Amino acid sequence: MTILKSAKGFWLSILLSIILFAIIQFLIIGEYLNGFYINTIFFMGINIILAVSLHLIIGITGQFSIGHAGFLAVGAYASAVVSMKLGLPFPLAIIMGGLVAAIAGLVIGIPSLRLKGDYLAIATLGFGEIVRIVFLNIDYVGGASGLQVSHLTTWPWVFVCMMITLLVIRNFTNSTHGRACISIREDETAADAMGINTTYYKVVAFVIGSFFAGIAGSLYAHNFYIIQPSNFGFLKSFDILIYVVLGGLGSMSGAVVAAILLTIISTFLQDFPETRMVIYSILLIVMMIYRPQGLMGTREITSFFKKKKSVEGGPKDDNQHTVA
Amino acid sequence: MTTNTPLLKVDNAGIQFGGLKAVQGVNVELDRGELVGLIGPNGAGKTTFFNLLTGVYVPTEGSISLNGEKLNKQAPYKITRKGISRTFQNIRLFSELSVIDNVKVAYHSLAKHSIASSIFRVPGHFSGETEMHEKAVEFLKIFNLDRFMNEKAKNLPYGQQRRLEIARALAANPKLLLLDEPAAGMNPQETQELMKLIALIREKFDLTVLLIEHDMALVMGVCDRIYVLDHGQLIAQGTPAEIRNDPKVIEAYLGEEVS
Ligand SMILES: Nc1ncnc2c1ncn2[C@@H]1O[C@H](COP(=O)(O)OP(=O)(O)O)[C@@H](O)[C@H]1O
Ligand SMILES: [Mg+2]
């Protein structure tokens, strides 16, 4: 019963997305939209992929990763090498961007996720910086002056990659595997005690998240004429982190909405990068005061259409850090 | 001499935190089907002993075997899969998950559908999830928790949260169930219901239970045997009647309320 019902909602949202796709495609082909708007739409799609991929790591699995731009960079450079240096077709470049980023995720994830605690935050922060410095010093990819990339990213590619990302992460989350990840977020010790291989699921979520950050990187690289290490600094990681936090940790639709809103805000503030950071900070502070759970809390958009029920309040005692 | 190996055999086990010997030289044997109590003053090392049994801490001395198989240095999730599951002194539910999802997490290790099958939504995913769901619904009915099925665990009343935690531990299909102060914070009526629940569990599931409890009436009332821990060491063991009259136990509890 519930499966049937959710399937109905699922096909409805697919239908709506296809209509949205067709409208935008029509507007682009008919040249009703100027380049500025088209570019903003592309960035929205790419940022949604980034937001949702980090949402799986932080919002669902509860692993604090703060170097997501590092995987974006790895994907961007890997795909640019495949398309520009090796001259292979664009779809292959997109996939390679994802795969190489996933391998990087595996290499960073296995050692740092085996331990409990904040090792991942430290490792990913370092990774983001190291990646940038490495690309800065490799002449093969142009060093500081960057790597020339053809403009191959088109609206259909952005749309297809975005939809695949949303579907894969939604399907993963709504399964026993997603529940295993959420149980780690909720209480790692209890998850362990329930027979969940916590290290395995932390790594899986991290690698899937890295893969899609790499896919976003491929689209990102081929949306410019040149990519440079300076595109992928800590501020970029911070941007992605904000989507997830602002959207409400644990809500995929929240991450999507935040990515759309903040892409619009930042596009209009493009020429004032300092102002942008100030506005972001103010936004975050206001949010922390009035809505500490984020735009959506842990809820999804669909839940607003369902009736609310609740039982009388339970105990307040949580946040026990010892194993008792 | 019997040919049967005990279900749980703890041989001279202990753990040291820095200079503190939280548990030392503990020998415990549990036979199948027994309900055994573990009591002792606050800070005696009871919870730490559970953490040793479940692999949260690795013993610095001695060994622990389940069904004759040594469990030393195994990860907690592997020990759970081998048949030891537990509840926690401070409830550790997955608060943001629904009641039924809490139980489904315990079924996870039995799931037959892979990550890929869930991502691509092949039929195996649906049949696997449906099977889990139906099993969990039936399971919750035993505990009278099915009416809360779709509530978030954190929204349950306190007594029901304790109940759910026990249910979740049982869903992991243990041979040995460890309950860490399940009656803590309960009112007399809830404690009464808990005792009924423990009796029901023993009847329905083929289980051995080790129970840490402060409520002496509860322990003396339901346990076949009792171990007494003080300052990390066993100071007595025996039937409830023997424990009640043991001078060492009375001494250990001096200054503490004996109820
Ligand atoms: N991880 C730890 N590090 C240091 N000391 C600990 C740790 N865990 C427990 N202890 C100490 O071990 C002793 C026994 O604690 P515990 O097992 O919780 O007692 P009980 O459950 O019997 O009340 C206490 O003195 C406690 O402070
Ligand atoms: Mg204790």
Side-chain angles (χ1 to χ4, degrees):
Chain A
M1 243 267 288
T2 46
I3 286 176
L4 267 181
K5 242 194 266 166
S6 65
K8 218 160 112 192
F10 169 75
W11 290 112
L12 191 68
S13 37
I14 293 282
L15 186 71
L16 287 176
S17 328
I18 290 174
I19 293 173
L20 180 76
F21 166 76
I23 293 173
I24 292 175
Q25 179 69 351
F26 170 78
L27 292 176
I28 292 173
I29 291 183
E31 294 183 0
Y32 297 107
L33 284 178
N34 68 31
F36 178 75
Y37 290 111
I38 294 176
N39 213 33
T40 305
I41 289 171
F42 283 15
F43 271 121
M44 259 181 218
I46 292 170
N47 287 340
I48 287 172
I49 296 175
L50 287 170
V52 169
S53 62
L54 189 61
H55 148 83
L56 175 64
I57 299 170
I58 298 185
I60 296 298
T61 318
Q63 304 304 306
F64 211 64
S65 167
I66 51 181
H68 215 50
F71 299 104
L72 177 74
V74 169
Y77 274 91
S79 70
V81 166
V82 170
S83 68
M84 304 314 297
K85 302 270 181 186
L86 310 179
L88 294 168
F90 184 47
L92 201 65
I94 296 181
I95 292 170
M96 282 309 289
L99 287 180
V100 176
I103 291 167
L106 200 63
V107 172
I108 302 298
I110 287 178
S112 50
L113 289 166
R114 282 177 59 219
L115 307 163
K116 289 185 185 177
D118 301 324
Y119 296 96
L120 186 71
I122 297 160
T124 48
L125 181 67
F127 171 73
E129 283 309 286
I130 289 167
V131 163
R132 203 172 54 78
I133 291 163
V134 166
F135 286 134
L136 206 55
N137 289 291
I138 298 180
D139 290 335
Y140 181 68
V141 294
S145 54
L147 181 60
Q148 304 265 345
V149 189
S150 305
H151 187 104
L152 297 173
T153 299
T154 58
W155 169 239
W157 280 118
V158 173
F159 179 81
V160 165
C161 291
M162 180 184 82
M163 288 307 285
I164 289 175
T165 309
L166 289 169
L167 274 179
V168 166
I169 289 176
R170 166 196 171 274
N171 288 353
F172 177 83
T173 305
N174 297 333
S175 75
T176 189
H177 310 287
R179 278 193 300 274
C181 291
I182 296 175
S183 76
I184 297 170
R185 175 192 79 193
E186 292 293 303
D187 191 322
E188 190 168 347
T189 303
D192 223 336
M194 287 298 108
I196 304 293
N197 185 346
T198 53
T199 305
Y200 176 77
Y201 274 101
K202 285 192 280 182
V203 171
V204 165
F206 192 67
V207 169
I208 294 177
S210 308
F211 175 81
F212 285 112
I215 296 284
S218 311
L219 298 170
Y220 186 87
H222 294 84
N223 193 34
F224 286 110
Y225 296 95
I226 190 161
I227 48 169
Q228 292 165 320
S230 58
N231 299 135
F232 307 98
F234 176 69
L235 283 184
K236 188 70 200 168
S237 289
F238 186 70
D239 277 356
I240 308 167
L241 191 60
I242 302 268
Y243 302 147
V244 177
V245 175
L246 206 64
L249 286 173
S251 166
M252 184 167 100
S253 23
V256 171
V257 170
I260 292 173
L261 288 179
L262 291 182
T263 306
I264 294 171
I265 292 177
S266 84
T267 307
F268 287 105
L269 294 174
Q270 226 167 30
D271 300 328
F272 315 98
E274 293 83 6
T275 323
R276 192 174 72 101
M277 286 331 278
V278 172
I279 290 187
Y280 269 30
S281 311
I282 293 173
L283 214 58
L284 268 187
I285 293 167
V286 170
M287 186 71 126
M288 273 185 261
I289 295 170
Y290 293 103
R291 231 185 129 65
Q293 70 276 44
L295 280 177
M296 308 274 294
T298 54
R299 304 171 66 190
E300 295 297 344
I301 281 186
T302 47
S303 72
F304 288 98
F305 301 108
K306 293 174 190 155
K307 274 226 178 88
K308 277 209 300 187
K309 290 183 292 179
S310 70
V311 281
E312 59 272 36
K316 303 288 175 290
D317 174 78
D318 21 77
N319 290 331
Q320 297 289 344
H321 292 293
T322 54
V323 182
Chain B
M1 279 271 302
T2 54
T3 50
N4 283 354
T5 49
L7 176 72
L8 178 79
K9 186 168 163 56
V10 179
D11 197 13
N12 215 15
I15 185 165
Q16 196 165 343
F17 298 112
L20 176 78
K21 288 189 168 164
V23 172
Q24 59 175 316
V26 169
N27 293 299
V28 166
E29 278 189 20
L30 301 181
D31 285 325
R32 284 165 197 79
E34 275 192 305
L35 199 171
V36 176
L38 177 62
I39 64 173
N42 258 327
K46 305 180 296 294
T47 297
T48 305
F49 182 62
F50 272 17
N51 285 334
L52 290 179
L53 293 182
T54 52
V56 173
Y57 298 144
V58 178
T60 44
E61 59 177 71
S63 73
I64 296 163
S65 4
L66 186 73
N67 266 326
E69 185 195 348
K70 282 230 166 79
L71 297 177
N72 290 21
K73 290 192 184 170
Q74 299 225 25
Y77 79 91
K78 284 192 180 154
I79 292 181
T80 304
R81 292 178 186 189
K82 293 228 157 89
I84 303 183
S85 85
R86 72 180 290 185
T87 65
F88 295 88
Q89 186 172 346
N90 307 307
I91 303 176
R92 281 174 175 269
L93 287 170
F94 307 124
S95 343
E96 290 287 333
L97 282 176
S98 65
V99 166
I100 193 164
D101 282 355
N102 268 269
V103 169
K104 287 184 193 172
V105 169
Y107 289 151
H108 173 79
S109 55
L110 304 172
K112 292 185 255 346
H113 52 297
S114 65
I115 293 177
S117 77
S118 286
I119 286 178
F120 298 111
R121 296 276 135 140
V122 300
H125 161 83
F126 292 104
S127 59
E129 291 286 329
T130 308
E131 190 184 315
M132 255 180 171
H133 184 79
E134 283 164 1
K135 207 169 135 189
V137 172
E138 286 311 308
F139 191 76
L140 285 174
K141 280 185 188 157
I142 301 176
F143 295 90
N144 236 332
L145 285 165
D146 51 321
R147 61 206 157 118
F148 299 124
M149 198 158 85
N150 296 317
E151 290 298 337
K152 278 187 182 178
K154 67 171 183 188
N155 293 335
L156 288 189
Y158 184 77
Q160 300 294 343
Q161 292 199 9
R162 285 263 177 220
R163 214 177 162 81
L164 174 58
E165 216 199 6
I166 296 173
R168 187 183 66 176
L170 279 171
N173 196 24
K175 298 185 187 87
L176 171 62
L177 176 66
L178 309 176
L179 300 174
D180 196 345
E181 302 200 22
M186 284 189 170
N187 60 38
Q189 193 215 331
E190 286 172 326
T191 308
Q192 210 63 43
E193 277 173 24
L194 177 75
M195 286 171 79
K196 272 192 229 147
L197 177 69
I198 293 175
L200 172 106
I201 290 169
R202 284 190 80 189
E203 192 187 311
K204 281 244 179 209
F205 302 86
D206 178 27
L207 262 188
T208 307
V209 181
L210 183 59
L211 171 76
I212 296 179
E213 190 45 69
H214 263 304
D215 188 326
M216 284 300 164
L218 198 159
V219 177
M220 297 288 173
V222 301
C223 295
D224 306 322
R225 283 194 299 132
I226 294 171
Y227 286 96
V228 187
L229 204 58
D230 189 26
H231 294 297
Q233 287 174 303
L234 283 182
I235 56 165
Q237 54 179 299
T239 63
E242 288 166 355
I243 294 299
R244 208 183 317 236
N245 300 315
D246 191 306
K248 273 196 199 154
V249 178
I250 294 168
E251 192 188 330
Y253 272 92
L254 270 184
E256 282 225 355
E257 33 169 337
V258 187
S259 41

